[in-house]
Amino acid sequence: GKVAGLTRAGTTAAIVSAGGRVVASISSSTAALVVGESPGGAKLAAAEAAGVAVIDAADFFGEGGVVEWRAWSSGGHPPPGE
């Protein structure tokens, strides 16, 4: 779904700068799915079925969100919103 205040390119850049990758499909090796406004049902369902963490875009991109992601993705603590 859309992320308030960011273009698709801006969203991608923020995820990449936090050490993440933007992929076209969800698999069991996906670390997390960041969902914006009105997320697509197929990716969300795939993430839930694969046991992938689902993080709200407001938590990920909000104050301290990218810093939280960096710590979580390196094993520091649970992802934002959990």
Side-chain angles (χ1 to χ4, degrees):
K2 294 184 179 193
V3 176
L6 288 174
T7 63
R8 181 174 294 274
T11 301
T12 297
I15 291 170
V16 170
S17 75
R21 288 186 307 138
V22 177
V23 296
S25 61
I26 303 296
S27 73
S28 60
S29 65
T30 303
L33 173 66
V34 178
V35 295
E37 300 169 15
S38 303
K43 281 188 181 173
L44 185 56
E48 291 170 344
V52 171
V54 176
I55 303 171
D56 185 84
D59 291 330
F60 182 81
F61 292 106
E63 185 177 330
V66 173
V67 173
E68 295 282 337
W69 166 256
R70 284 186 179 137
W72 174 70
S73 65
S74 350
H77 54 77
E82 299 232 340

